[in-house]
């Protein structure tokens, strides 16, 4: 649907208050669905210790070819200028400075899933590169001698058919061979049906064209790599045990001897231990993980292992938040790390005795146009921090932190967004109607909001469900605000960034009382007097879509719903999803046939007799996380109940429904079209 049609329909279908809003809006510019192509954001940051130059990836969108474009840029600290690292036409990403700060390695890729590593001499400006690989390198890591980089990359292992077709004539035009599937993990969302093989460790010399494969065999090595100080070995995380696909979270840390290729255990327990990071002096190994207790959510703690004594201790037991990125201080006296707290991503620092402090809470992330927490950082030897800056009015830009002062370095969105009026974002807290727990949320107001008028309300529910929204830029929800909707998004029980206990409230009890948490936020806004109670709408995706369908069975307050990639029948969901071993172990209290009553109790489709809300459904046809068969079940159930519904199928799309920028635009256009159909008088 064209933008002009959206505006005309709104003006015809809505009340005088919304008509007045649209009339006032005519003299101002507001964000439109197609404007997603104009946005840019920063990630993948590496700062130079010697010069404080900053290397990062600038991301933008190609309207003609409908894809994201990524390119390595740098900020020249001495001249305070920004420019690309090279003028090549390939996508480039993952910048990594050599230990001596003289060479930058990064990955360049082209169509056909091929990539190579490019090396730029930062003194001469000379660019060299490797051969094209038959895959994409990951976890690029420099050796201490500055001569090589290690990385991981998938290596296919071809398996011969057990039924060779000896009768097939030469050059025969037969049908494609059937797929023989015998592995536990045979398809993965975003990757499709998996080829046989494993991710292996490689070494690439700066002076050679081809890499050397270091590991082999059936085990995959997919996590972060870290060299020992002497360069003789690499610490890595992997699942090197029988039936690793049946143990979703359990990864151990190993040491790979580069001379013998022998792999030995360093940290082995039941739980996810990963991100091994050797201290600059070589004495300590930092990593994150936990002892798995079988709960649906557990915080990842920051650990340090003394490689001399073997002693291991946790540094963040009192934090009650989950740690992610790690970086040692230059003198090995402490560790920088990030974590989410109440919807914001913090940069913290802990000394080896556990003395903790917060450096900033302004790390920002950009995920599919919605306000998820996250962000990246890097710290120079002099303590300067480079990071992606959070802002409710802008996608993440490059910023630096010196002492307590934050300076924004880039302004890639200024030319466009300086001329766009965005909605104000306001924090709120309410007490849940279920158990009086405090629940955090945020409201986005229409750009020309007037508290004396009445506005339609959209409740947006995040996915996960162990994830969190926060005060971050959101293209999707700002577009809804620009169309005259008050938008509410919250972090109901089960959301992370509020501690273990809050997230674990949904253990074997999901979906359920998230409904009460979210309804309490809606009722709070209604009490403030500017919401038209006849025009309430709900939308959500993935775990949020699951909660939204659950809410439809509990209330008929919503005029319409827009539900993306939901799971509605838990029995069928866990037996068709790519993560089925994890779901049966951690989410739903056993296998479906072992506890059928539990699965049915928490399946939104069980309550179809209560559902009366017209519902738009939208899912990718290649979604293997919440397969489109779940959407089809709900669509057909709504049809059998004679409830108005429409199903939008995104061709070739995985669970990342808006991986193509045009699909984000179309997603928003469809949602607006659907809500406008149900503007009640």
């Amino acid at each position: 649907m064209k933008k002009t049609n959206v505006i005309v329909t709104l003006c015809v279908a809505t009340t005088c208050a919304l008509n007045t809003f649209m009339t006032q809006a005519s003299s101002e510019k507001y964000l439109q669905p197609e404007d997603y192509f104009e946005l840019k954001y920063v990630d993948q940051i590496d700062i130079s210790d010697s010069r404080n130059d900053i290397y990062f990836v600038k991301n933008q969108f190609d309207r003609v070819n409908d894809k994201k474009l990524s390119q390595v840029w740098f900020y020249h600290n001495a001249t305070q200028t920004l420019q690309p690292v090279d003028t090549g036409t390939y996508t480039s990403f993952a910048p990594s400075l050599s230990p001596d700060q003289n060479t930058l390695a990064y990955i360049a890729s082209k169509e056909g899933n091929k990539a190579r590593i490019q090396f730029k001499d930062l003194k001469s400006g000379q660019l060299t590169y490797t051969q094209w690989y038959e895959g994409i390198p990951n976890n690029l890591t420099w050796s201490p001698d500055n001569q090589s980089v290690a990385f991981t990359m998938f290596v296919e292992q071809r398996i011969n058919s057990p039924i060779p077709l000896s009768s097939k004539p030469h050059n025969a035009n037969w049908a494609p061979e059937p797929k023989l599937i015998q592995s536990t993990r045979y398809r993965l969302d975003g990757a499709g049906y998996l080829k046989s093989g494993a991710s292996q460790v490689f070494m690439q010399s700066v002076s050679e064209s081809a890499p050397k494969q270091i590991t082999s065999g059936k085990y995959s090595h997919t996590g972060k790599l870290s060299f020992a100080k002497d360069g003789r070995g690499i610490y890595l995380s992997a699942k090197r045990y029988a039936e690793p696909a049946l143990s979703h979270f359990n990864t151990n840390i190993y040491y790979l001897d580069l001379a013998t290729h022998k792999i030995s255990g360093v940290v082995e327990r039941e739980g996810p231990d990963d991100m091994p990071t050797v201290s600059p002096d070589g004495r300590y190994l930092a990593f994150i993980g936990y002892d798995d207790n079988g709960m649906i959510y557990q915080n990842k703690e920051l650990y340090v292992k003394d490689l001399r004594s073997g002693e291991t201790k946790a540094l963040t037991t009192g934090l009650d938040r989950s740690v992610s990125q790690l970086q040692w201080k230059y003198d090995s006296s402490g560790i920088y790390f990030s974590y989410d707290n109440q919807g914001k991503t913090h940069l913290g620092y802990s000394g080896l005795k556990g003395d903790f402090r917060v450096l900033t809470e302004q790390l920002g992330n950009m995920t599919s146009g919605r306000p998820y927490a996250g962000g990246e950082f890097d710290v120079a030897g002099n303590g300067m921090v480079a990071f992606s800056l959070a802002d409710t009015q802008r996608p993440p830009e490059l910023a630096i932190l010196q002492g307590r002062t934050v300076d924004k370095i880039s302004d890639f969105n200024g030319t466009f967004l300086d001329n766009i009026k965005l909605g104000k974002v306001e924090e709120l807290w309410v007490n849940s109607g279920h158990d009086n727990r405090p629940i955090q949320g945020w409201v986005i107001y229409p750009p020309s909001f007037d508290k004396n008028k009445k506005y339609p309300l959209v409740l947006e529910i995040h996915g996960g469900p162990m994830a969190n929204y926060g005060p971050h830029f959101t293209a999707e929800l700002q577009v809804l605000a620009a169309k005259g909707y008050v938008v509410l998004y919250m972090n109901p029980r089960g959301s992370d960034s509020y501690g273990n206990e809050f997230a674990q409230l949904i253990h074997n009890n999901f979906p359920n009382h998230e409904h009460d948490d979210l309804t309490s936020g809606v009722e709070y806004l209604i009490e403030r007097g500017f919401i038209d109670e006849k025009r309430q709408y709900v939308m959500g995706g993935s775990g949020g879509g699951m909660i939204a369908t659950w809410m439809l069975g509990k209330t008929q307050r919503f005029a319409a719903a827009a539900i993306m990639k939901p799971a509605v029948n838990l029995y069928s969901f866990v037996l068709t999803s790519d993560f089925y071993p994890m779901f049966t172990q951690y989410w739903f209290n056993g296998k479906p046939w072992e506890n059928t009553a539990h699965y049915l109790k928490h399946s939104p489709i069980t309550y179809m007799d209560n559902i009366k809300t017209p519902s738009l459904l939208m899912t990718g046809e290649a979604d293997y996380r919440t397969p489109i068969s779940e959407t089809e079940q709900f669509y057909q159930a709504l049809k059998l109940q004679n409830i108005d519904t429409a199903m939008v199928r995104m061709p070739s799309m995985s669970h990342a429904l808006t991986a193509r920028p045009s699909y984000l635009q179309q997603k928003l256009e469809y949602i607006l079209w659907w809500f406008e159909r149900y503007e009640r008088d």
Side-chain angles (χ1 to χ4, degrees), residues 247-390:
S247 185
H248 186 82
F249 295 116
N250 187 25
T251 54
N252 296 320
I253 294 176
Y254 301 91
Y255 176 77
L256 166 64
D257 188 302
L258 293 175
T260 65
H261 295 187
K262 179 182 178 182
I263 297 176
S264 53
V266 178
V267 179
E268 296 178 290
R269 60 174 173 173
E270 191 68 27
D273 293 306
D274 49 35
M275 295 195 72
T277 309
V278 177
S279 61
D281 63 7
R283 178 172 176 176
Y284 301 103
L285 179 73
F287 61 96
I288 62 174
Y290 57 74
D291 287 299
D292 193 345
N293 60 18
M295 296 296 289
I296 191 171
Y297 174 85
Q298 296 160 78
N299 285 330
K300 287 189 174 183
E301 304 283 357
L302 170 59
Y303 292 89
V304 171
K305 179 168 185 172
D306 189 324
L307 295 175
R308 296 179 187 172
S309 68
E311 178 187 2
T312 300
K313 62 180 179 181
L315 299 183
T316 56
T317 53
L319 181 61
D320 193 22
R321 296 293 186 270
S322 195
V323 173
S324 52
Q325 304 165 80
L326 307 181
Q327 183 181 341
W328 280 94
K329 190 177 179 181
Y330 74 95
D331 61 0
S332 304
S333 63
I335 302 168
Y336 302 94
F337 59 93
S338 64
Y339 65 96
D340 292 348
N341 179 54
Q342 296 185 353
K344 297 180 179 180
T345 300
H346 290 47
L347 173 60
Y349 173 81
S350 176
L352 295 183
K353 295 182 179 180
D355 46 322
F356 167 75
R357 68 179 186 269
V358 177
L359 302 182
T360 181
E361 57 181 35
Q362 294 180 264
L363 270 63
N365 181 46
M366 184 152 171
T367 306
S368 301
R370 286 177 288 161
Y372 283 108
E376 300 190 14
F377 74 91
D378 193 36
V379 187
N382 63 1
M384 178 186 288
V385 179
F387 67 101
S388 52
L389 178 66

Side-chain angles (χ1 to χ4, degrees), residues 584-651:
T584 55
Q585 291 180 53
Y586 295 92
W587 280 38
F588 299 128
N589 197 22
K591 303 177 184 71
W593 52 90
E594 296 171 342
N595 199 348
T596 302
H598 176 84
Y599 276 76
L600 289 176
K601 176 182 177 182
H602 292 280
S603 293
I605 207 165
T606 299
Y607 307 97
M608 284 305 304
D609 281 343
N610 300 334
I611 296 177
K612 309 296 180 186
T613 306
S615 300
L616 173 72
L617 309 174
M618 196 179 307
T619 301
E621 291 188 329
D623 189 334
Y624 299 135
R625 188 64 39 80
T626 52
I628 198 167
S629 57
E630 293 293 301
T631 295
E632 292 169 332
Q633 288 182 67
F634 196 56
Y635 175 81
Q636 294 181 186
L638 289 167
K639 286 293 187 182
L640 289 173
Q641 294 293 88
N642 199 29
I643 299 167
D644 195 17
T645 182
M647 176 169 53
V648 180
R649 304 168 66 97
M650 297 293 200

Side-chain angles (χ1 to χ4, degrees), residues 345-602:
T345 300
H346 290 47
L347 173 60
Y349 173 81
S350 176
L352 295 183
K353 295 182 179 180
D355 46 322
F356 167 75
R357 68 179 186 269
V358 177
L359 302 182
T360 181
E361 57 181 35
Q362 294 180 264
L363 270 63
N365 181 46
M366 184 152 171
T367 306
S368 301
R370 286 177 288 161
Y372 283 108
E376 300 190 14
F377 74 91
D378 193 36
V379 187
N382 63 1
M384 178 186 288
V385 179
F387 67 101
S388 52
L389 178 66
D391 189 332
T392 63
Q393 306 295 295
R394 291 288 188 275
E397 297 277 4
L398 182 65
I400 57 173
L401 172 68
Q402 293 180 289
R404 296 184 179 181
T405 303
V406 172
D407 293 311
K408 188 170 74 169
I409 299 303
S410 70
D411 189 22
F412 292 123
N413 295 281
T415 301
F416 175 66
L417 287 180
D418 284 348
N419 297 311
I420 300 291
K421 187 172 183 179
L422 297 173
K424 175 186 174 183
V425 180
E426 179 180 276
E427 180 184 5
L428 62 81
W429 287 86
V430 299
N431 292 328
S432 172
H434 172 63
D435 55 10
N436 214 38
R437 287 178 181 272
I439 306 296
Q440 189 179 27
W442 289 265
V443 183
I444 305 179
Y445 296 98
S448 297
F449 176 74
D450 182 343
K451 67 179 180 180
N452 296 312
K453 296 177 181 177
K454 295 283 189 179
Y455 295 86
L457 171 69
V458 174
L459 170 66
E460 151 66 23
I461 309 171
H462 73 64
M466 285 75 67
N468 67 88
Y469 278 163
H472 308 287
F473 180 78
T474 162
E476 288 189 40
L477 305 190
Q478 283 285 354
V479 167
L480 290 172
K483 296 300 182 182
Y485 295 92
V486 171
V487 183
L488 170 65
Y489 61 92
M490 305 183 71
N491 286 332
R493 66 192 61 220
S495 303
D496 57 16
S497 82
Y498 300 90
N500 262 323
E501 191 266 346
F502 187 81
Q504 291 173 357
L505 288 172
I506 64 172
H507 182 72
N508 291 336
N509 191 28
F510 174 78
N512 199 348
H513 296 298
E514 307 80 21
H515 161 72
D516 302 282
D517 300 343
L518 296 165
T519 300
S520 298
V522 170
E523 292 177 346
Y524 168 78
L525 287 183
I526 290 173
E527 290 172 2
R528 292 178 63 183
F530 50 77
I531 300 299
D532 184 340
E533 294 187 53
K534 293 182 179 180
R535 293 184 287 150
Q536 301 177 55
Y537 305 91
V538 63
M539 58 184 281
S542 191
M546 192 171 172
I547 295 172
T549 54
W550 177 267
M551 293 184 76
L552 298 187
K554 298 295 181 180
T555 181
Q556 296 175 21
R557 72 188 307 143
F558 299 110
I563 298 170
M564 282 63 70
K565 51 195 179 185
V568 298
N569 181 346
L570 302 190
Y571 202 114
S572 60
F573 165 56
V574 301
L575 296 179
T576 54
S577 175
D578 59 346
F579 278 4
Y580 67 101
M582 185 270 284
F583 290 137
T584 55
Q585 291 180 53
Y586 295 92
W587 280 38
F588 299 128
N589 197 22
K591 303 177 184 71
W593 52 90
E594 296 171 342
N595 199 348
T596 302
H598 176 84
Y599 276 76
L600 289 176
K601 176 182 177 182
H602 292 280

Side-chain angles (χ1 to χ4, degrees), residues 97-312:
L97 283 163
S98 60
D100 64 7
Q101 313 287 287
N102 291 328
T103 307
L104 181 74
Y106 57 96
I107 298 168
S109 67
K110 65 179 181 178
E111 301 294 338
N113 201 38
K114 290 189 176 183
R116 68 187 182 193
I117 299 174
Q118 301 193 159
F119 299 99
K120 183 167 186 177
D121 187 310
L122 298 179
K123 291 183 177 179
S124 67
Q126 182 179 358
L127 186 68
T128 59
Y129 43 82
T130 68
Q131 66 182 31
W132 289 105
Y133 305 147
E134 294 297 323
I136 305 295
N138 293 287
N139 303 300
L140 212 62
T141 307
W142 278 94
S143 61
D145 64 3
N146 307 288
Q147 299 304 306
S148 302
V149 291
F151 62 90
T152 61
M153 187 169 64
F154 180 78
V155 177
E156 184 177 359
Q157 181 181 4
R158 298 190 181 277
I159 298 178
N160 295 325
S161 172
I163 50 168
L165 299 175
S166 56
S167 63
K168 182 178 179 180
H170 180 66
N171 294 329
N173 187 24
W174 285 22
E177 292 185 15
K179 292 184 176 73
L180 175 63
I181 296 173
Q182 294 179 295
S183 58
T184 302
R185 177 66 59 80
Y186 63 94
R187 65 180 184 179
L188 183 65
D189 186 73
Y193 283 83
L194 302 177
K195 297 178 180 179
S196 297
S199 181
Q200 304 295 354
V201 178
F202 291 80
M203 290 283 287
Q204 175 68 63
S205 171
V206 175
S207 60
E208 296 179 2
S209 175
K212 295 179 180 178
Q213 184 174 332
I214 306 301
T215 62
S216 60
K218 64 180 181 179
Y219 297 116
S220 272
H221 312 84
T222 58
K224 178 182 178 181
L225 307 175
S226 186
F227 275 89
K229 183 176 175 57
D230 60 12
R232 297 177 180 176
I234 296 173
Y235 293 90
L236 53 87
S237 62
K239 296 181 175 182
R240 296 181 60 86
Y241 48 80
E243 290 296 336
L246 288 175
S247 185
H248 186 82
F249 295 116
N250 187 25
T251 54
N252 296 320
I253 294 176
Y254 301 91
Y255 176 77
L256 166 64
D257 188 302
L258 293 175
T260 65
H261 295 187
K262 179 182 178 182
I263 297 176
S264 53
V266 178
V267 179
E268 296 178 290
R269 60 174 173 173
E270 191 68 27
D273 293 306
D274 49 35
M275 295 195 72
T277 309
V278 177
S279 61
D281 63 7
R283 178 172 176 176
Y284 301 103
L285 179 73
F287 61 96
I288 62 174
Y290 57 74
D291 287 299
D292 193 345
N293 60 18
M295 296 296 289
I296 191 171
Y297 174 85
Q298 296 160 78
N299 285 330
K300 287 189 174 183
E301 304 283 357
L302 170 59
Y303 292 89
V304 171
K305 179 168 185 172
D306 189 324
L307 295 175
R308 296 179 187 172
S309 68
E311 178 187 2
T312 300

